[in-house]
Tab-separated table of all heavy atoms in Angstrom:
chain	number	residue	atom	x	y	z
A	12	ALA	N	-33.667	62.673	96.705
A	12	ALA	CA	-34.730	63.491	96.133
A	12	ALA	C	-35.500	64.153	97.270
A	12	ALA	O	-35.515	63.649	98.395
A	12	ALA	CB	-35.652	62.609	95.304
A	13	PRO	N	-36.153	65.272	96.988
A	13	PRO	CA	-36.961	65.918	98.032
A	13	PRO	C	-37.970	64.933	98.618
A	13	PRO	O	-38.620	64.181	97.902
A	13	PRO	CB	-37.662	67.056	97.278
A	13	PRO	CG	-36.764	67.342	96.112
A	13	PRO	CD	-36.181	66.012	95.724
A	14	GLY	N	-38.068	64.902	99.930
A	14	GLY	CA	-38.992	64.011	100.609
A	14	GLY	C	-38.426	62.628	100.883
A	14	GLY	O	-39.017	61.852	101.630
A	15	ALA	N	-37.291	62.282	100.278
A	15	ALA	CA	-36.661	60.980	100.504
A	15	ALA	C	-35.876	61.026	101.812
A	15	ALA	O	-35.492	62.097	102.284
A	15	ALA	CB	-35.726	60.636	99.351
A	16	PRO	N	-35.616	59.864	102.398
A	16	PRO	CA	-34.779	59.845	103.608
A	16	PRO	C	-33.396	60.408	103.289
A	16	PRO	O	-32.929	60.309	102.153
A	16	PRO	CB	-34.679	58.360	103.964
A	16	PRO	CG	-35.746	57.680	103.193
A	16	PRO	CD	-36.038	58.531	102.001
A	17	PRO	N	-32.735	61.008	104.271
A	17	PRO	CA	-31.408	61.572	104.017
A	17	PRO	C	-30.366	60.489	103.714
A	17	PRO	O	-30.534	59.330	104.085
A	17	PRO	CB	-31.064	62.299	105.321
A	17	PRO	CG	-31.913	61.646	106.353
A	17	PRO	CD	-33.152	61.168	105.660
A	18	LEU	N	-29.317	60.890	103.035
A	18	LEU	CA	-28.171	60.018	102.774
A	18	LEU	C	-27.522	59.691	104.112
A	18	LEU	O	-27.184	60.587	104.887
A	18	LEU	CB	-27.169	60.747	101.877
A	18	LEU	CG	-25.885	60.006	101.569
A	18	LEU	CD1	-26.154	58.996	100.461
A	18	LEU	CD2	-24.806	60.976	101.136
A	19	ARG	N	-27.340	58.409	104.409
A	19	ARG	CA	-26.734	57.967	105.670
A	19	ARG	C	-25.228	57.877	105.466
A	19	ARG	O	-24.761	57.062	104.680
A	19	ARG	CB	-27.328	56.629	106.096
A	19	ARG	CG	-28.820	56.730	106.423
A	19	ARG	CD	-29.467	55.378	106.659
A	19	ARG	NE	-28.687	54.471	107.473
A	19	ARG	CZ	-28.596	54.512	108.805
A	19	ARG	NH1	-29.260	55.424	109.477
A	19	ARG	NH2	-27.846	53.644	109.464
A	20	LEU	N	-24.480	58.705	106.172
A	20	LEU	CA	-23.045	58.873	105.951
A	20	LEU	C	-22.235	58.465	107.175
A	20	LEU	O	-22.545	58.846	108.295
A	20	LEU	CB	-22.767	60.344	105.619
A	20	LEU	CG	-21.325	60.731	105.305
A	20	LEU	CD1	-20.898	60.140	103.961
A	20	LEU	CD2	-21.186	62.247	105.278
A	21	LEU	N	-21.186	57.687	106.919
A	21	LEU	CA	-20.191	57.343	107.935
A	21	LEU	C	-18.905	58.071	107.552
A	21	LEU	O	-18.500	58.027	106.385
A	21	LEU	CB	-19.950	55.832	107.953
A	21	LEU	CG	-18.800	55.321	108.823
A	21	LEU	CD1	-19.092	55.537	110.302
A	21	LEU	CD2	-18.544	53.848	108.549
A	22	ILE	N	-18.288	58.757	108.494
A	22	ILE	CA	-17.052	59.491	108.222
A	22	ILE	C	-15.898	58.766	108.901
A	22	ILE	O	-15.940	58.491	110.104
A	22	ILE	CB	-17.133	60.946	108.715
A	22	ILE	CG1	-18.288	61.660	107.995
A	22	ILE	CG2	-15.811	61.674	108.495
A	22	ILE	CD1	-18.557	63.068	108.491
A	23	ALA	N	-14.849	58.446	108.122
A	23	ALA	CA	-13.692	57.708	108.629
A	23	ALA	C	-12.432	58.559	108.497
A	23	ALA	O	-12.021	58.897	107.390
A	23	ALA	CB	-13.528	56.399	107.867
A	24	SER	N	-11.852	58.908	109.629
A	24	SER	CA	-10.601	59.667	109.662
A	24	SER	C	-9.956	59.440	111.014
A	24	SER	O	-10.640	59.364	112.041
A	24	SER	CB	-10.862	61.165	109.458
A	24	SER	OG	-9.662	61.901	109.613
A	25	GLU	N	-8.626	59.361	111.025
A	25	GLU	CA	-7.906	59.211	112.283
A	25	GLU	C	-7.858	60.522	113.064
A	25	GLU	O	-7.567	60.526	114.252
A	25	GLU	CB	-6.488	58.705	112.012
A	25	GLU	CG	-6.497	57.293	111.451
A	25	GLU	CD	-5.138	56.820	110.983
A	25	GLU	OE1	-4.192	57.628	110.934
A	25	GLU	OE2	-5.027	55.628	110.635
A	26	VAL	N	-8.169	61.620	112.405
A	26	VAL	CA	-8.100	62.943	113.027
A	26	VAL	C	-9.489	63.324	113.540
A	26	VAL	O	-10.391	63.626	112.747
A	26	VAL	CB	-7.569	63.998	112.029
A	26	VAL	CG1	-7.478	65.365	112.685
A	26	VAL	CG2	-6.234	63.559	111.461
A	27	ARG	N	-9.661	63.285	114.847
A	27	ARG	CA	-10.969	63.531	115.457
A	27	ARG	C	-11.547	64.879	115.057
A	27	ARG	O	-12.722	64.978	114.685
A	27	ARG	CB	-10.848	63.443	116.977
A	27	ARG	CG	-12.154	63.667	117.687
A	27	ARG	CD	-12.007	63.546	119.174
A	27	ARG	NE	-13.270	63.820	119.821
A	27	ARG	CZ	-13.409	63.913	121.112
A	27	ARG	NH1	-12.386	63.742	121.916
A	27	ARG	NH2	-14.587	64.166	121.627
A	28	PHE	N	-10.748	65.923	115.120
A	28	PHE	CA	-11.231	67.261	114.770
A	28	PHE	C	-11.766	67.292	113.340
A	28	PHE	O	-12.824	67.856	113.069
A	28	PHE	CB	-10.106	68.297	114.936
A	28	PHE	CG	-10.484	69.661	114.448
A	28	PHE	CD1	-11.292	70.480	115.214
A	28	PHE	CD2	-10.038	70.126	113.219
A	28	PHE	CE1	-11.666	71.736	114.760
A	28	PHE	CE2	-10.396	71.384	112.762
A	28	PHE	CZ	-11.214	72.195	113.535
A	29	LEU	N	-11.053	66.645	112.435
A	29	LEU	CA	-11.445	66.627	111.028
A	29	LEU	C	-12.759	65.880	110.837
A	29	LEU	O	-13.697	66.386	110.214
A	29	LEU	CB	-10.340	65.992	110.185
A	29	LEU	CG	-10.590	65.875	108.690
A	29	LEU	CD1	-10.815	67.239	108.071
A	29	LEU	CD2	-9.400	65.190	108.031
A	30	ARG	N	-12.864	64.665	111.358
A	30	ARG	CA	-14.086	63.883	111.135
A	30	ARG	C	-15.296	64.534	111.793
A	30	ARG	O	-16.382	64.569	111.225
A	30	ARG	CB	-13.912	62.427	111.552
A	30	ARG	CG	-13.703	62.139	112.987
A	30	ARG	CD	-13.553	60.625	113.267
A	30	ARG	NE	-13.340	60.411	114.667
A	30	ARG	CZ	-12.151	60.291	115.244
A	30	ARG	NH1	-11.055	60.325	114.521
A	30	ARG	NH2	-12.053	60.121	116.554
A	31	GLU	N	-15.136	65.074	112.991
A	31	GLU	CA	-16.276	65.692	113.664
A	31	GLU	C	-16.657	67.026	113.028
A	31	GLU	O	-17.841	67.355	112.933
A	31	GLU	CB	-15.991	65.835	115.154
A	31	GLU	CG	-15.964	64.482	115.847
A	31	GLU	CD	-15.682	64.553	117.332
A	31	GLU	OE1	-15.523	65.680	117.877
A	31	GLU	OE2	-15.619	63.484	117.963
A	32	SER	N	-15.673	67.793	112.569
A	32	SER	CA	-15.969	69.067	111.889
A	32	SER	C	-16.691	68.824	110.572
A	32	SER	O	-17.675	69.500	110.258
A	32	SER	CB	-14.684	69.858	111.642
A	32	SER	OG	-14.078	70.207	112.861
A	33	LEU	N	-16.203	67.863	109.795
A	33	LEU	CA	-16.885	67.524	108.541
A	33	LEU	C	-18.314	67.068	108.820
A	33	LEU	O	-19.250	67.458	108.122
A	33	LEU	CB	-16.130	66.422	107.797
A	33	LEU	CG	-14.926	66.854	107.002
A	33	LEU	CD1	-14.158	65.642	106.489
A	33	LEU	CD2	-15.322	67.748	105.853
A	34	GLY	N	-18.472	66.239	109.826
A	34	GLY	CA	-19.807	65.769	110.178
A	34	GLY	C	-20.738	66.899	110.546
A	34	GLY	O	-21.897	66.934	110.114
A	35	GLU	N	-20.244	67.832	111.325
A	35	GLU	CA	-21.071	68.966	111.734
A	35	GLU	C	-21.487	69.801	110.525
A	35	GLU	O	-22.647	70.188	110.391
A	35	GLU	CB	-20.302	69.835	112.725
A	35	GLU	CG	-21.107	71.018	113.226
A	35	GLU	CD	-20.330	71.874	114.197
A	35	GLU	OE1	-19.577	71.321	115.017
A	35	GLU	OE2	-20.481	73.109	114.117
A	36	ILE	N	-20.559	70.053	109.621
A	36	ILE	CA	-20.858	70.857	108.435
A	36	ILE	C	-21.830	70.119	107.506
A	36	ILE	O	-22.818	70.692	107.044
A	36	ILE	CB	-19.562	71.219	107.690
A	36	ILE	CG1	-18.736	72.190	108.536
A	36	ILE	CG2	-19.861	71.809	106.312
A	36	ILE	CD1	-17.308	72.369	108.061
A	37	LEU	N	-21.556	68.854	107.230
A	37	LEU	CA	-22.380	68.104	106.284
A	37	LEU	C	-23.785	67.824	106.805
A	37	LEU	O	-24.727	67.694	106.024
A	37	LEU	CB	-21.685	66.794	105.907
A	37	LEU	CG	-20.404	66.959	105.095
A	37	LEU	CD1	-19.695	65.622	104.935
A	37	LEU	CD2	-20.701	67.582	103.734
A	38	ALA	N	-23.944	67.733	108.106
A	38	ALA	CA	-25.251	67.411	108.683
A	38	ALA	C	-26.138	68.641	108.865
A	38	ALA	O	-27.272	68.506	109.327
A	38	ALA	CB	-25.057	66.703	110.021
A	39	ARG	N	-25.682	69.805	108.466
A	39	ARG	CA	-26.480	71.019	108.653
A	39	ARG	C	-27.768	71.017	107.838
A	39	ARG	O	-28.755	71.581	108.246
A	39	ARG	CB	-25.658	72.255	108.308
A	39	ARG	CG	-24.622	72.570	109.347
A	39	ARG	CD	-23.855	73.812	109.008
A	39	ARG	NE	-22.822	74.052	110.016
A	39	ARG	CZ	-21.812	74.866	109.854
A	39	ARG	NH1	-21.676	75.541	108.724
A	39	ARG	NH2	-20.934	75.018	110.812
A	40	GLY	N	-27.752	70.394	106.683
A	40	GLY	CA	-28.950	70.339	105.847
A	40	GLY	C	-29.758	69.095	106.146
A	40	GLY	O	-29.404	68.269	106.993
A	41	ASP	N	-30.855	68.948	105.432
A	41	ASP	CA	-31.732	67.796	105.627
A	41	ASP	C	-31.367	66.615	104.746
A	41	ASP	O	-31.938	65.536	104.893
A	41	ASP	CB	-33.184	68.188	105.316
A	41	ASP	CG	-33.715	69.235	106.283
A	41	ASP	OD1	-33.242	69.277	107.435
A	41	ASP	OD2	-34.613	70.000	105.874
A	42	SER	N	-30.416	66.784	103.826
A	42	SER	CA	-30.140	65.738	102.846
A	42	SER	C	-29.101	64.717	103.313
A	42	SER	O	-28.949	63.670	102.698
A	42	SER	CB	-29.699	66.353	101.520
A	42	SER	OG	-28.546	67.135	101.706
A	43	ILE	N	-28.373	65.006	104.401
A	43	ILE	CA	-27.337	64.097	104.895
A	43	ILE	C	-27.521	63.871	106.390
A	43	ILE	O	-27.679	64.823	107.150
A	43	ILE	CB	-25.921	64.660	104.631
A	43	ILE	CG1	-25.673	64.788	103.134
A	43	ILE	CG2	-24.849	63.786	105.286
A	43	ILE	CD1	-24.361	65.469	102.776
A	44	ALA	N	-27.484	62.606	106.786
A	44	ALA	CA	-27.507	62.242	108.204
A	44	ALA	C	-26.203	61.513	108.507
A	44	ALA	O	-25.956	60.433	107.960
A	44	ALA	CB	-28.700	61.342	108.508
A	45	VAL	N	-25.367	62.098	109.336
A	45	VAL	CA	-24.124	61.436	109.733
A	45	VAL	C	-24.486	60.407	110.790
A	45	VAL	O	-24.975	60.746	111.859
A	45	VAL	CB	-23.086	62.453	110.258
A	45	VAL	CG1	-21.827	61.740	110.709
A	45	VAL	CG2	-22.764	63.495	109.184
A	46	VAL	N	-24.254	59.129	110.456
A	46	VAL	CA	-24.667	58.043	111.356
A	46	VAL	C	-23.537	57.540	112.234
A	46	VAL	O	-23.779	56.799	113.187
A	46	VAL	CB	-25.296	56.870	110.579
A	46	VAL	CG1	-26.580	57.316	109.895
A	46	VAL	CG2	-24.325	56.265	109.583
A	47	GLY	N	-22.285	57.928	111.920
A	47	GLY	CA	-21.182	57.470	112.747
A	47	GLY	C	-19.849	58.016	112.295
A	47	GLY	O	-19.726	58.589	111.206
A	48	TYR	N	-18.861	57.820	113.173
A	48	TYR	CA	-17.500	58.282	112.937
A	48	TYR	C	-16.532	57.151	113.251
A	48	TYR	O	-16.565	56.612	114.356
A	48	TYR	CB	-17.170	59.469	113.851
A	48	TYR	CG	-18.058	60.668	113.666
A	48	TYR	CD1	-19.203	60.845	114.444
A	48	TYR	CD2	-17.759	61.634	112.704
A	48	TYR	CE1	-20.021	61.954	114.274
A	48	TYR	CE2	-18.566	62.742	112.539
A	48	TYR	CZ	-19.701	62.892	113.329
A	48	TYR	OH	-20.504	63.982	113.159
A	49	GLY	N	-15.679	56.810	112.295
A	49	GLY	CA	-14.675	55.780	112.514
A	49	GLY	C	-13.296	56.402	112.638
A	49	GLY	O	-12.902	57.219	111.808
A	50	ALA	N	-12.557	56.002	113.674
A	50	ALA	CA	-11.231	56.558	113.919
A	50	ALA	C	-10.117	55.727	113.295
A	50	ALA	O	-8.982	56.183	113.210
A	50	ALA	CB	-10.988	56.680	115.423
A	51	ASP	N	-10.434	54.503	112.867
A	51	ASP	CA	-9.437	53.640	112.230
A	51	ASP	C	-10.173	52.608	111.382
A	51	ASP	O	-11.415	52.589	111.339
A	51	ASP	CB	-8.526	52.974	113.264
A	51	ASP	CG	-9.274	52.165	114.305
A	51	ASP	OD1	-10.355	51.585	113.985
A	51	ASP	OD2	-8.810	52.079	115.445
A	52	LEU	N	-9.428	51.757	110.722
A	52	LEU	CA	-10.018	50.776	109.828
A	52	LEU	C	-10.969	49.831	110.569
A	52	LEU	O	-12.101	49.612	110.136
A	52	LEU	CB	-8.925	49.982	109.105
A	52	LEU	CG	-9.373	48.821	108.232
A	52	LEU	CD1	-10.372	49.262	107.180
A	52	LEU	CD2	-8.168	48.157	107.583
A	53	ASP	N	-10.526	49.262	111.679
A	53	ASP	CA	-11.361	48.307	112.408
A	53	ASP	C	-12.670	48.933	112.888
A	53	ASP	O	-13.742	48.349	112.731
A	53	ASP	CB	-10.606	47.719	113.600
A	53	ASP	CG	-9.480	46.787	113.169
A	53	ASP	OD1	-9.552	46.239	112.053
A	53	ASP	OD2	-8.523	46.627	113.946
A	54	GLN	N	-12.587	50.123	113.458
A	54	GLN	CA	-13.796	50.785	113.939
A	54	GLN	C	-14.714	51.153	112.768
A	54	GLN	O	-15.933	50.998	112.858
A	54	GLN	CB	-13.440	52.037	114.743
A	54	GLN	CG	-14.657	52.697	115.359
A	54	GLN	CD	-14.310	53.916	116.184
A	54	GLN	OE1	-13.384	54.656	115.861
A	54	GLN	NE2	-15.052	54.128	117.257
A	55	SER	N	-14.146	51.596	111.666
A	55	SER	CA	-14.951	51.955	110.497
A	55	SER	C	-15.660	50.729	109.933
A	55	SER	O	-16.833	50.798	109.550
A	55	SER	CB	-14.075	52.616	109.430
A	55	SER	OG	-13.522	53.815	109.934
A	56	LEU	N	-14.974	49.596	109.873
A	56	LEU	CA	-15.598	48.354	109.408
A	56	LEU	C	-16.729	47.925	110.337
A	56	LEU	O	-17.814	47.552	109.877
A	56	LEU	CB	-14.556	47.242	109.312
A	56	LEU	CG	-13.636	47.292	108.106
A	56	LEU	CD1	-12.475	46.326	108.278
A	56	LEU	CD2	-14.410	46.980	106.842
A	57	ARG	N	-16.480	47.972	111.618
A	57	ARG	CA	-17.495	47.580	112.596
A	57	ARG	C	-18.729	48.488	112.489
A	57	ARG	O	-19.871	48.007	112.442
A	57	ARG	CB	-16.902	47.632	114.007
A	57	ARG	CG	-17.777	47.061	115.087
A	57	ARG	CD	-17.071	46.937	116.430
A	57	ARG	NE	-16.368	48.160	116.860
A	57	ARG	CZ	-15.036	48.322	116.818
A	57	ARG	NH1	-14.250	47.369	116.366
A	57	ARG	NH2	-14.481	49.444	117.237
A	58	LEU	N	-18.491	49.791	112.406
A	58	LEU	CA	-19.607	50.726	112.299
A	58	LEU	C	-20.365	50.551	110.984
A	58	LEU	O	-21.592	50.644	110.942
A	58	LEU	CB	-19.110	52.167	112.432
A	58	LEU	CG	-18.656	52.582	113.825
A	58	LEU	CD1	-17.964	53.939	113.786
A	58	LEU	CD2	-19.843	52.607	114.781
A	59	SER	N	-19.635	50.286	109.923
A	59	SER	CA	-20.279	50.086	108.630
A	59	SER	C	-21.200	48.860	108.666
A	59	SER	O	-22.319	48.895	108.166
A	59	SER	CB	-19.223	49.929	107.539
A	59	SER	OG	-19.830	49.739	106.288
A	60	ARG	N	-20.724	47.789	109.281
A	60	ARG	CA	-21.551	46.580	109.392
A	60	ARG	C	-22.779	46.830	110.267
A	60	ARG	O	-23.881	46.374	109.957
A	60	ARG	CB	-20.735	45.437	110.000
A	60	ARG	CG	-19.781	44.810	109.030
A	60	ARG	CD	-19.106	43.573	109.632
A	60	ARG	NE	-17.926	43.242	108.857
A	60	ARG	CZ	-16.684	43.386	109.274
A	60	ARG	NH1	-16.417	43.822	110.492
A	60	ARG	NH2	-15.673	43.066	108.488
A	61	ASP	N	-22.581	47.555	111.379
A	61	ASP	CA	-23.671	47.779	112.326
A	61	ASP	C	-24.675	48.824	111.838
A	61	ASP	O	-25.877	48.674	112.037
A	61	ASP	CB	-23.125	48.225	113.684
A	61	ASP	CG	-22.330	47.142	114.390
A	61	ASP	OD1	-22.403	45.956	113.968
A	61	ASP	OD2	-21.604	47.477	115.348
A	62	LEU	N	-24.179	49.900	111.229
A	62	LEU	CA	-25.034	51.041	110.895
A	62	LEU	C	-25.541	51.045	109.456
A	62	LEU	O	-26.476	51.776	109.147
A	62	LEU	CB	-24.273	52.349	111.171
A	62	LEU	CG	-23.792	52.533	112.610
A	62	LEU	CD1	-22.908	53.764	112.729
A	62	LEU	CD2	-24.981	52.621	113.554
A	63	ARG	N	-24.901	50.264	108.574
A	63	ARG	CA	-25.307	50.152	107.173
A	63	ARG	C	-25.483	51.524	106.497
A	63	ARG	O	-26.555	51.852	105.989
A	63	ARG	CB	-26.598	49.342	107.045
A	63	ARG	CG	-26.591	48.000	107.753
A	63	ARG	CD	-25.608	47.021	107.222
A	63	ARG	NE	-25.974	46.596	105.866
A	63	ARG	CZ	-25.227	45.812	105.125
A	63	ARG	NH1	-24.078	45.376	105.604
A	63	ARG	NH2	-25.599	45.465	103.939
A	64	PRO	N	-24.429	52.352	106.462
A	64	PRO	CA	-24.550	53.658	105.805
A	64	PRO	C	-24.718	53.499	104.297
A	64	PRO	O	-24.388	52.452	103.726
A	64	PRO	CB	-23.214	54.334	106.137
A	64	PRO	CG	-22.257	53.192	106.280
A	64	PRO	CD	-23.065	52.085	106.921
A	65	ASP	N	-25.221	54.547	103.659
A	65	ASP	CA	-25.302	54.585	102.194
A	65	ASP	C	-23.938	54.893	101.596
A	65	ASP	O	-23.643	54.496	100.477
A	65	ASP	CB	-26.284	55.667	101.738
A	65	ASP	CG	-27.686	55.431	102.261
A	65	ASP	OD1	-28.182	54.299	102.122
A	65	ASP	OD2	-28.281	56.385	102.806
A	66	MET	N	-23.138	55.642	102.361
A	66	MET	CA	-21.853	56.113	101.853
A	66	MET	C	-20.868	56.272	103.001
A	66	MET	O	-21.263	56.607	104.121
A	66	MET	CB	-22.046	57.465	101.155
A	66	MET	CG	-20.803	58.059	100.528
A	66	MET	SD	-21.154	59.654	99.722
A	66	MET	CE	-22.113	59.120	98.322
A	67	VAL	N	-19.589	56.026	102.700
A	67	VAL	CA	-18.511	56.292	103.650
A	67	VAL	C	-17.647	57.388	103.055
A	67	VAL	O	-17.233	57.312	101.898
A	67	VAL	CB	-17.650	55.036	103.920
A	67	VAL	CG1	-16.445	55.384	104.796
A	67	VAL	CG2	-18.484	53.945	104.576
A	68	LEU	N	-17.402	58.427	103.846
A	68	LEU	CA	-16.482	59.499	103.477
A	68	LEU	C	-15.174	59.175	104.190
A	68	LEU	O	-15.107	59.204	105.420
A	68	LEU	CB	-17.038	60.851	103.917
A	68	LEU	CG	-16.233	62.085	103.577
A	68	LEU	CD1	-16.025	62.220	102.069
A	68	LEU	CD2	-16.917	63.330	104.124
A	69	LEU	N	-14.149	58.807	103.421
A	69	LEU	CA	-12.916	58.260	103.985
A	69	LEU	C	-11.738	59.199	103.737
A	69	LEU	O	-11.506	59.620	102.607
A	69	LEU	CB	-12.638	56.891	103.344
A	69	LEU	CG	-11.490	56.109	103.939
A	69	LEU	CD1	-11.970	54.705	104.292
A	69	LEU	CD2	-10.350	56.016	102.961
A	70	ASP	N	-11.023	59.513	104.789
A	70	ASP	CA	-9.825	60.339	104.717
A	70	ASP	C	-8.709	59.538	104.045
A	70	ASP	O	-8.392	58.420	104.476
A	70	ASP	CB	-9.414	60.742	106.131
A	70	ASP	CG	-8.241	61.702	106.197
A	70	ASP	OD1	-7.588	61.963	105.168
A	70	ASP	OD2	-7.980	62.199	107.312
A	71	ALA	N	-8.113	60.087	103.000
A	71	ALA	CA	-7.045	59.391	102.273
A	71	ALA	C	-5.846	59.112	103.169
A	71	ALA	O	-5.047	58.221	102.881
A	71	ALA	CB	-6.619	60.203	101.056
A	72	ALA	N	-5.716	59.838	104.261
A	72	ALA	CA	-4.595	59.629	105.171
A	72	ALA	C	-4.815	58.449	106.113
A	72	ALA	O	-3.903	58.077	106.856
A	72	ALA	CB	-4.342	60.902	105.990
A	73	LEU	N	-6.005	57.846	106.082
A	73	LEU	CA	-6.269	56.686	106.937
A	73	LEU	C	-5.281	55.579	106.588
A	73	LEU	O	-5.089	55.261	105.414
A	73	LEU	CB	-7.708	56.190	106.710
A	73	LEU	CG	-8.220	55.130	107.671
A	73	LEU	CD1	-8.510	55.748	109.036
A	73	LEU	CD2	-9.485	54.494	107.128
A	74	ARG	N	-4.645	55.011	107.600
A	74	ARG	CA	-3.698	53.917	107.351
A	74	ARG	C	-4.361	52.818	106.535
A	74	ARG	O	-5.494	52.445	106.806
A	74	ARG	CB	-3.192	53.344	108.666
A	74	ARG	CG	-2.014	54.093	109.239
A	74	ARG	CD	-1.592	53.435	110.526
A	74	ARG	NE	-2.581	53.767	111.545
A	74	ARG	CZ	-2.324	54.524	112.602
A	74	ARG	NH1	-1.129	54.978	112.802
A	74	ARG	NH2	-3.267	54.810	113.459
Side-chain angles (χ1 to χ4, degrees):
L18 177 80
R19 295 172 43 79
L20 182 70
L21 172 67
I22 300 175
S24 175
E25 294 172 352
V26 181
R27 181 179 178 187
F28 173 78
L29 179 60
R30 66 180 179 265
E31 291 180 1
S32 297
L33 280 172
E35 181 180 322
I36 292 167
L37 293 172
R39 287 182 182 164
D41 296 332
S42 59
I43 297 174
V45 178
V46 296
Y48 300 93
D51 57 32
L52 174 56
D53 290 336
Q54 185 179 35
S55 298
L56 283 168
R57 189 171 49 255
L58 289 170
S59 180
R60 283 187 197 110
D61 293 346
L62 302 173
R63 309 296 293 175
D65 300 311
M66 182 180 289
V67 174
L68 182 59
L69 187 128
D70 185 351
L73 189 73
R74 275 181 286 246

